[in-house]
């Protein structure tokens, strides 16, 4: 990847965040009730409302409010929460850390399941194993997270009682219990990703196994296992990186639901709480941080792709 | 059309998808007629019942018949999802085709902005819009439609660009055909196919998104027999009756699987090379 291209990509991330900040600010700013009414309630006197508006800078024209807000955001200051009165940024970053742990574990579990499934389906193409994997993946992509989550709770926490149904323990506090509490959320988030990625691995691998260089390797008398792993899987996994990065969008959406269900104090749950309480600075911060995470993940995937596959030259 | 359906029925996904979506459409149209009970009728003595001959799928926390609620609720869930997807497709296709038509810097600017909007997860985007408009089924429909538009714009643009470069379009230009004829007779039929495929698969996603919004309390409101809402309520009574949870979950899955299969089947059937 040429430095010029990397620079252009960074510029695009900045543009993306600028557009997202505009959208988020516009959506939250045209809310029927303004921040002052939300702070003081419907019955506040006109004088009190005016005083709060003055303090929050709500009397200024909208573009000026946006400029002030953006100026703060650039310096890492997302404003003060209307709900708690505390600065939003530290709270959100802490929550983001918990969500990233959940997301990372989910991606690891997903890869550990999806890649072998995809390989089995590709190698046994058209046979029973392929059909089973294909049916499973159709079911997997067709169940919303809240359904899989509830079914997992019903079976693993309610009936078998091997895992806790909800709650969160910090890994620094008690790593084992933290993992137990994360198990169901991670399982839930992984389901859709496993279904999607195993199908991708299968179709990529089927294509690769039909290529000339795989045939050449076979004719050379290499062991089928070596051909599959060295020539087949290695090339089939490359496009999968891009798919995983694009799936980060679904992953973040899934994280919102899963955190809400399992009461994990991550960024998704913070966002839902903020939306329900109409806590504008918190909503703006949460949405912007999520979009930034998505953009950075895709950039990282492009970098990894170019680094792993020397044939790819971005320019 | 009949040719397409017979091609569709020849692939396993297409046949299964046709059957499932056909079943779902039947339920959407005739559901309320088939429902054995009034979906809102409460029966305090018959609460949390499992499946039986009287109540085929059992009853919920108010003794309401679950089968009747599912049959009637199909409209709330499926029709809303289809309409939301169509809205997103329409807006997205217009935006994407316009972008491809304009080309150059305008195209670049539009698509970069579309990319930027796509970095907001659909669920989050829908949540923000519902928060803005107020919680109701109709607003959830608008929210999902708007959240889908950028993705559809991307698909429509890439297809329109590819089609514009095709030999048959150049041939039509060389024959001296008018611009309108080229767009309508040469380009549109070839642009429509991939968009139909994408739309079909998106319906599955919309059903799930719509149910999720209702589940979070931001879509359909109680006592509507919307399926996501039924799952949300069933969670509170898991210990008393798991059936309340299982049936609407299966219903959501059937619709989503059906549209996913149909979309994949259509992709194969509409692809002239296979």
């Amino acid at each position: 990847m040429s430095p010029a291209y990397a620079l252009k990509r960074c510029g695009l991330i900045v543009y993306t965040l600028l557009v997202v900040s505009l959208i988020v600010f516009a959506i939250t700013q045209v809310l029927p009730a303004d921040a002052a009414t939300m702070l003081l309630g419907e019955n506040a006197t006109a004088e009190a409302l005016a005083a709060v508006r003055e303090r929050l800078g709500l009397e200024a024209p909208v573009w000026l409010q946006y400029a002030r807000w953006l100026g703060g955001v650039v310096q890492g200051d997302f404003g003060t929460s209307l709900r708690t009165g505390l600065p939003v940024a530290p709270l959100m970053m802490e929550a983001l850390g918990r969500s990233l742990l959940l997301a990372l574990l989910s991606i690891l579990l997903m890869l550990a399941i999806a890649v072998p499934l995809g390989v089995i389906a590709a190698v046994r193409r058209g046979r029973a194993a392929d059909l089973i994997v294909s049916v499973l993946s159709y079911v997997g992509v067709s169940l919303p997270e809240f359904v899989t989550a509830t079914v997992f709770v019903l079976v693993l926490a309610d009936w078998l009682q091997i895992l806790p149904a909800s709650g969160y323990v910090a890994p620094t506090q008690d790593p084992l219990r933290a993992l137990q509490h994360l198990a169901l959320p991670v399982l839930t988030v992984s389901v859709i990703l496993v279904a999607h990625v195993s199908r991708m691995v299968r179709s990529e691998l089927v294509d690769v196994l039909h290529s000339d260089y795989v045939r050449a390797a076979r004719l050379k008398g290499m062991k089928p296992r070596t051909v599959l792993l060295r020539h087949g899987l290695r090339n089939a996994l490359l496009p999968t990186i891009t798919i995983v990065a694009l799936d980060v969008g679904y992953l973040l959406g899934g994280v919102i639901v899963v955190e809400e269900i399992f009461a994990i104090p991550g960024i998704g749950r913070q966002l839902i709480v903020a939306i329900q309480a109409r806590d504008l600075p918190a909503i703006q911060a949460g949405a912007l941080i999520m979009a930034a995470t998505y953009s950075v993940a895709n950039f990282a995937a492009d970098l990894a792709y170019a680094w792993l596959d020397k044939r790819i030259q971005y320019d | 059309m009949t040719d397409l359906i017979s091609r569709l029925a020849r692939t396993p996904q297409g046949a299964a998808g046709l059957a499932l979506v056909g079943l779902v459409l039947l339920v959407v149209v005739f559901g309320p007629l088939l429902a054995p009970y009034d979906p809102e009728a409460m029966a305090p003595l018959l609460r949390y019942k499992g499946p039986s001959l009287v109540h085929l799928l059992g009853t919920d926390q108010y003794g309401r018949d679950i089968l009747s609620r599912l049959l009637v609720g199909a409209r709330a869930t499926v029709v809303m999802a289809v309409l939301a997807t169509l809205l997103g497709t329409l807006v997205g296709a217009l935006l994407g085709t316009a972008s491809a038509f304009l080309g150059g810097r305008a195209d670049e600017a539009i698509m970069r902005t579309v990319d930027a909007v796509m970095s907001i997860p659909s669920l989050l985007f829908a949540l923000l819009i519902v928060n803005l408009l107020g919680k109701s089924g109709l607003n959830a429909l608008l929210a999902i439609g708007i959240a889908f538009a950028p993705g559809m714009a991307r698909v429509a643009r890439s297809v329109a660009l590819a089609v514009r470069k095709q030999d048959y379009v150049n041939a039509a230009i060389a024959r001296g055909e008018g611009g309108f004829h080229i767009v309508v007779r040469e380009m549109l039929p070839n642009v429509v196919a991939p968009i139909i495929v994408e739309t079909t698969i998106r319906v599955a996603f919309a059903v799930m998104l719509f149910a999720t919004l209702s589940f979070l309390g931001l879509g359909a409101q109680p006592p509507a027999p919307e399926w996501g809402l039924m799952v949300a309520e069933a969670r509170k009574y898991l210990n008393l009756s798991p059936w309340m949870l299982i049936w609407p979950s299966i219903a959501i899955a059937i619709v989503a699987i059906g549209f996913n299969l149909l979309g994949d089947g259509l992709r194969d059937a509409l692809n002239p090379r296979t």
Side-chain angles (χ1 to χ4, degrees):
Chain A
M1 184 179 293
S2 64
Y5 178 77
L7 207 66
K8 194 182 159 201
R9 276 302 304 260
C10 289
L12 278 180
I13 292 183
V14 173
Y15 179 69
T16 297
L17 293 180
L18 211 61
V19 171
V20 172
S21 76
L22 255 177
I23 292 173
V24 171
F25 193 82
I27 289 181
T28 43
Q29 207 63 35
V30 290
L31 276 171
D34 73 351
T37 328
M38 267 173 240
L39 264 181
L40 299 176
E42 301 286 339
N43 304 322
T45 59
E47 293 84 51
L49 281 177
V52 171
R53 284 208 186 99
E54 182 70 48
R55 185 164 61 81
L56 294 177
L58 292 176
E59 299 298 342
V62 172
W63 63 268
L64 192 60
Q65 288 185 40
Y66 174 71
R68 278 183 193 153
W69 174 70
L70 197 64
V73 168
V74 172
Q75 298 164 35
D77 172 19
F78 284 89
T80 341
S81 162
L82 298 183
R83 195 169 56 88
T84 57
L86 297 170
V88 171
L91 206 77
M92 280 293 174
M93 292 321 271
E94 200 186 334
L96 178 68
R98 299 186 188 119
S99 301
L100 286 182
L101 179 66
L102 170 62
L104 211 67
L105 287 176
S106 306
I107 290 183
L108 288 180
L109 179 69
M110 177 274 283
L111 288 176
I113 303 175
V115 173
L117 275 186
V119 171
I120 292 171
V123 173
R124 315 226 127 221
R125 191 157 77 102
R127 308 231 211 120
D130 185 20
L131 186 70
I132 292 171
V133 170
S134 153
V135 168
L136 280 182
S137 72
Y138 269 112
V139 174
V141 290
S142 302
L143 285 170
E145 285 92 355
F146 71 92
V147 170
T148 30
T150 321
V151 172
F152 279 143
V153 168
L154 182 68
V155 175
L156 295 172
D158 246 42
W159 290 351
L160 302 176
Q161 308 212 326
I162 45 177
L163 289 168
S166 79
Y168 177 82
V169 176
T172 46
Q173 200 184 346
D174 184 346
L176 190 67
R177 283 193 50 220
L179 270 183
Q180 283 178 340
H181 277 90
L182 276 172
L184 283 184
V186 167
L187 259 179
T188 307
V189 176
S190 315
V191 169
I192 287 190
L193 297 178
V194 166
H196 192 200
V197 171
S198 65
R199 272 165 83 177
M200 283 298 152
V201 170
R202 178 194 176 274
S203 70
E204 290 294 338
L205 191 54
V206 165
D207 283 352
V208 171
L209 289 181
H210 278 94
S211 64
D212 287 340
Y213 58 83
V214 166
R215 193 173 305 141
R218 280 202 189 117
L219 291 175
K220 216 160 62 176
M222 283 176 88
K223 282 190 212 138
R225 199 186 160 79
T226 322
V227 175
L228 179 66
L229 295 181
R230 281 252 190 90
H231 296 79
L233 194 57
R234 222 168 145 183
N235 287 295
L237 281 184
L238 280 172
T240 313
I241 295 174
T242 318
I243 299 293
V244 172
L246 288 174
D247 271 350
V248 169
Y250 289 96
L251 185 71
L252 292 175
V255 161
I256 297 179
V257 181
V258 165
E259 287 180 354
E260 173 70 13
I261 292 176
F262 292 103
I264 298 170
I267 195 161
R269 189 164 160 78
Q270 292 290 350
L271 256 169
I272 299 244
V273 171
I275 284 175
Q276 277 161 355
R278 304 213 151 185
D279 185 352
L280 300 190
I283 299 177
Q284 291 162 347
L288 207 54
I289 291 173
M290 276 212 160
T293 312
Y294 177 83
S295 309
V296 171
N298 273 288
F299 182 45
D302 276 4
L303 284 178
Y305 199 91
W307 182 63
L308 287 172
D309 190 343
K310 301 287 181 259
R311 288 168 301 183
I312 303 286
Q313 284 298 327
Y314 292 107
D315 49 25
Chain B
M1 193 65 199
T2 44
D3 176 49
L4 178 67
I5 291 177
S6 69
R7 284 173 69 119
L8 197 56
R10 235 175 287 153
T11 62
Q13 294 112 315
L18 264 184
L20 284 178
V21 171
L23 177 78
V24 170
L25 290 183
L26 280 179
V27 169
V28 165
V29 175
F30 298 108
L33 293 175
L34 296 170
Y37 295 92
D38 176 356
E40 316 261 311
M42 304 187 188
L45 294 177
L46 290 170
R47 300 190 300 161
Y48 312 115
K49 291 284 178 247
S52 67
L53 281 177
V54 190
H55 294 281
L56 286 177
L57 302 184
T59 59
D60 69 0
Q61 76 272 27
Y62 297 118
R64 296 175 295 195
D65 181 53
I66 295 179
L67 177 63
S68 305
R69 287 178 69 70
L70 285 180
L71 288 173
V72 174
R75 288 190 185 172
T77 313
V78 179
V79 175
M80 292 298 232
V82 171
L83 288 179
T85 313
L86 288 180
L87 177 71
T89 304
L90 192 70
V91 176
L94 278 175
L95 200 64
T97 318
S99 185
F101 173 74
L102 290 170
R105 278 169 191 275
D107 180 40
E108 176 94 4
I110 293 175
M111 289 330 285
R112 291 300 170 223
T113 310
V114 163
D115 281 348
V117 177
M118 279 175 74
S119 72
I120 308 177
S122 305
L123 177 64
L124 177 58
F125 204 7
L127 282 176
L128 289 174
I129 295 170
V130 170
N131 182 48
L132 165 69
L133 300 173
K135 35 181 141 163
S136 78
L138 187 68
N139 289 341
L141 186 158
L142 283 176
I144 294 173
I146 297 171
F148 275 6
M152 293 305 302
R154 215 133 242 280
V155 175
R157 171 184 174 270
S158 69
V159 178
L161 274 185
V163 165
R164 210 175 58 176
K165 287 190 198 125
Q166 291 294 317
D167 283 343
Y168 53 80
V169 174
N170 288 331
I173 295 171
R175 282 202 307 273
E177 306 279 9
F180 182 77
H181 175 93
I182 293 172
V183 168
V184 174
R185 296 297 297 276
E186 307 288 343
M187 283 178 71
L188 213 55
N190 294 291
V191 175
V192 164
I195 292 180
I196 289 177
V197 171
E198 183 70 18
T199 306
T200 313
I201 293 176
R202 288 247 165 186
V203 171
F205 190 43
V207 168
M208 293 160 65
L209 208 51
F210 196 75
T212 304
L213 282 180
S214 297
F215 175 80
L216 293 173
L218 294 166
Q221 298 296 316
E226 203 279 328
W227 297 347
L229 200 58
M230 287 172 72
V231 174
E233 291 183 350
R235 280 181 70 223
K236 298 178 209 148
Y237 310 102
L238 265 188
N239 306 323
L240 294 163
S241 168
W243 298 107
M244 283 170 60
L245 168 83
I246 292 168
W247 297 123
S249 304
I250 292 178
I252 293 170
I254 287 179
V255 177
I257 292 174
F259 278 99
N260 268 323
L261 285 168
L262 186 66
D264 285 356
L266 276 173
R267 180 178 295 149
D268 291 346
L270 287 171
N271 189 345
R273 271 165 297 166
T274 53

